[in-house]
């Protein structure tokens, strides 16, 4: 019963920034944990980052740590992924996902741990 609406994808040059949004209309909060995953052409869907909605704790994949920042806006029931210093290898369809049940943030790196998914938004990093 949770609908996740993603936006913010597009074309950006290497080194540039981009911010993705994932909103859950009609919800007080999107989920107990909100994750970001990405899937490049011919690749599987892999973990990017996750945020605990209640305590704001975060966890990042090594490939994006230091470049990406996940955050939330309680009033808008929205989670954001701020991506800086983008690289061509970051090109992928980015998905947000919500987990309803109790969980450990550090363990939320698998797609099977989530209950709801957004439709995905394309991010292309190219010069």
């Amino acid at each position: 019963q949770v609908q996740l609406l993603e936006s913010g994808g597009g074309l950006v040059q290497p080194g540039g920034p981009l911010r993705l949004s994932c909103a859950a209309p009609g919800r007080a909060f999107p989920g107990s944990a909100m994750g970001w995953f990405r899937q490049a052409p011919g690749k599987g869907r892999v973990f990017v980052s996750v945020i605990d909605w209640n305590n704001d704790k975060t966890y990042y994949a090594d490939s994006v740590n230091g470049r990406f920042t996940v955050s939330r806006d309680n009033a808008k029931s929205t989670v954001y992924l701020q991506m800086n210093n983008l690289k061509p290898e970051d090109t992928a369809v980015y998905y947000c996902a919500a987990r309803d049940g109790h969980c450990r943030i550090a363990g939320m790196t698998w797609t099977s741990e989530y209950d709801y998914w957004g439709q995905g938004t394309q991010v292309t990093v190219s010069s």
Side-chain angles (χ1 to χ4, degrees):
Q1 292 187 318
V2 176
Q3 184 181 23
L4 304 178
L5 304 177
E6 304 176 40
S7 62
L11 176 64
V12 62
Q13 291 186 320
L18 202 64
R19 189 178 77 162
L20 306 182
S21 301
C22 180
R27 297 277 293 183
F29 63 95
S32 60
M34 295 294 298
W36 285 97
F37 290 75
R38 66 187 183 186
Q39 186 168 13
K43 304 290 185 178
R45 190 172 301 184
V46 299
F47 171 76
V48 175
S49 66
V50 62
I51 183 170
D52 187 309
W53 191 262
N54 296 309
N55 59 26
D56 208 27
K57 291 183 178 180
T58 59
Y59 189 72
Y60 298 90
D62 290 340
S63 59
V64 305
N65 193 32
R67 298 188 297 122
F68 291 10
T69 302
V70 64
S71 62
R72 57 173 169 81
D73 187 322
N74 293 344
K76 297 180 179 180
S77 189
T78 299
V79 64
Y80 303 97
L81 183 66
Q82 178 66 50
M83 305 182 293
N84 297 322
N85 191 25
L86 283 163
K87 305 175 181 180
E89 64 190 47
D90 296 318
T91 296
V93 177
Y94 284 71
Y95 300 87
C96 64
R99 163 72 175 247
D100 282 337
H102 298 291
C103 63
R104 296 183 300 105
I105 293 300
M108 299 300 294
T109 60
W110 309 104
T111 59
S112 60
E113 296 291 338
Y114 293 85
D115 301 301
Y116 310 98
W117 291 85
Q119 79 284 0
T121 184
Q122 177 71 48
V123 173
T124 302
V125 184
S126 177
S127 60

